[in-house]
Amino acid sequence: MKIAFVGKGGSGKTTLSSLFIRHLAANEAPVVAVDADINQHLGAALGLSEAEAAALPAMGAHLPLIKEYLRGSNPRIVSADTMIKTTPPGEGSRLLRVREDNPVYEACARPVPLDDGDVRLMATGPFTEADLGVSCYHSKVGAVELCLNHLVDGADEYVVVDMTAGSDSFASGLFTRFDMTFLVAEPTRKGVSVYRQYKEYARDFGVALKVVGNKVQGRDDLDFLREEVGEDLLVTVGHSDWVRAMEKGRPPRFELLEADNRMSLQALQDAADDSYAHRDWDRYTRQMVHFHLRNAESWGNAKTGADLASQVDPGFVLSEGLSAVQPA
């Protein structure tokens, strides 16, 4: 399952995504975690020290390697330089699997030890002072989108992405790459404003969306969220002494997380697992191609000097039946 956590800044999106990752690890599920937020805090939320989090390799810095590996022997891609963030796979492309070892994971992923096992953590890399005025953050997440376009995941495997805050997630087709999107919302007007934006876009592209109410302190908060988001409200999360200790850098063992919050995390996993029955690889591939053609026409062709529409393999559909690595 490919799962995104979204929400406005300060909603608790990163905290909730880190708790969900810990929950999956406690259930012995294989997990690839990706920090795609402009503020890189997922590593720290998973227990890394500041130095360890800062030492995570930036996926954007390894984009040439990622492109060359994924290109494989695809005859429609004349060189890695002509690949952009939306380039879809085709016959001969190399694909990624959650459980495998490959050069992309070797360069970009690092194991993070949790109480109940390790997870792989990847990070887009922070927005640096050198980027100010010359680039936008969406260029940073291009490596994530390219990898997800080439990722084949199964029902019992999880890719969890902590997305950038607010509606910026819609600046690319990345928001369509997920089986389930969890929107973290506080019980305030600002807290549900991003939900309304996301709901509109999600409806247009068939994106599965559920709301996680965070910082819910009583019946009035719960009623407010139910009134504002209706049946999209999946679970709520209240105050947590465990989370407070984690934010101080002293998390207890995960098994000591409050029972109500553990039940909420299980409800998230159940909702994600249920979405597997609705997985549509044909639609997934069509959306991939849709955004690629849009990007090709608007800026990709001019930037690469190539006709990027010719990269589309009309007979190719990404699916679980494909080999993880196509013959080179």
Side-chain angles (χ1 to χ4, degrees):
M1 299 285 92
K2 302 181 186 76
I3 300 161
F5 279 81
V6 301
K8 79 172 186 66
S11 64
K13 171 179 60 65
T14 298
T15 298
L16 264 294
S17 60
S18 72
L19 290 177
F20 185 62
I21 291 165
R22 290 175 185 269
H23 170 79
L24 294 174
N27 287 346
E28 300 183 345
V31 181
V32 173
V34 183
D35 192 344
D37 195 353
I38 190 170
N39 298 305
Q40 305 268 279
H41 296 311
L42 184 57
L46 290 173
L48 296 184
S49 67
E50 289 187 14
E52 290 170 332
L56 290 170
M59 293 179 69
H62 294 282
L63 194 54
L65 178 150
I66 293 172
K67 289 180 176 180
E68 191 61 51
Y69 179 76
L70 297 179
R71 174 189 169 218
S73 61
N74 187 334
R76 294 176 178 274
I77 304 175
V78 297
S79 71
D81 292 336
T82 64
M83 294 180 72
I84 62 174
K85 63 182 182 179
T86 51
T87 295
E91 186 67 31
S93 296
R94 289 193 178 99
L95 305 177
L96 304 175
R97 286 276 189 182
V98 171
R99 301 173 194 257
E100 71 177 0
D101 294 319
N102 58 54
V104 174
Y105 292 157
E106 182 179 349
C108 302
R110 295 294 180 266
V112 176
L114 301 176
D115 290 342
D116 301 288
D118 293 357
V119 298
R120 277 176 167 148
L121 176 61
M122 306 171 75
T124 60
F127 197 67
T128 65
E129 185 175 346
D131 296 315
L132 296 177
V134 296
S135 65
C136 70
Y137 184 70
H138 309 300
S139 63
K140 298 281 188 180
V141 300
V144 179
E145 188 166 358
L146 193 59
C147 286
L148 291 185
N149 279 355
H150 290 74
L151 179 69
V152 180
D153 54 316
D156 58 346
E157 301 169 332
Y158 299 87
V159 178
V160 181
V161 182
D162 181 20
M163 297 280 279
T164 194
S167 57
D168 286 350
S169 301
F170 297 110
S172 73
L174 183 58
F175 77 98
T176 66
R177 302 296 84 200
F178 301 101
D179 297 288
M180 176 60 69
T181 296
F182 292 126
L183 189 147
V184 181
E186 299 169 85
T188 64
R189 292 175 64 184
K190 287 184 178 180
V192 300
S193 62
V194 174
Y195 161 76
R196 295 194 183 95
Q197 293 176 300
Y198 229 108
K199 179 69 173 179
E200 181 179 347
Y201 288 111
R203 185 189 307 114
D204 291 341
F205 288 92
V207 174
L209 176 68
K210 290 295 181 182
V211 174
V212 182
N214 193 28
K215 306 176 186 178
V216 174
Q217 297 183 6
R219 185 74 189 184
D220 187 63
D221 286 347
L222 179 59
D223 290 343
F224 175 83
L225 286 173
R226 283 177 172 165
E227 180 180 341
E228 294 293 328
V229 308
E231 62 183 13
D232 286 337
L233 181 64
L234 179 63
V235 293
T236 61
V237 178
H239 173 77
S240 171
D241 291 333
W242 193 98
V243 169
R244 181 59 60 88
M246 178 197 75
E247 291 173 340
K248 294 177 180 177
R250 301 191 297 268
R253 287 193 59 82
F254 186 65
E255 62 193 30
L256 298 178
L257 180 70
E258 298 85 0
D260 287 349
N261 290 331
R262 288 293 294 267
M263 290 176 63
S264 293
L265 294 175
Q266 185 59 53
L268 297 187
Q269 184 178 1
D270 291 343
D273 290 347
D274 289 346
S275 71
Y276 181 78
H278 305 288
R279 175 175 281 194
D280 185 344
W281 286 106
D282 287 326
R283 178 173 62 83
Y284 189 84
T285 304
R286 287 197 307 272
Q287 289 177 345
M288 193 189 311
V289 170
H290 167 78
F291 282 103
H292 180 63
L293 294 178
R294 284 180 56 177
N295 282 321
E297 183 177 354
S298 64
W299 60 268
N301 290 345
K303 181 176 181 179
T304 63
D307 176 14
L308 299 186
S310 65
Q311 293 180 342
V312 176
D313 185 342
F316 183 88
V317 176
L318 193 68
S319 71
E320 291 179 57
L322 296 172
S323 300
V325 179
Q326 300 292 332

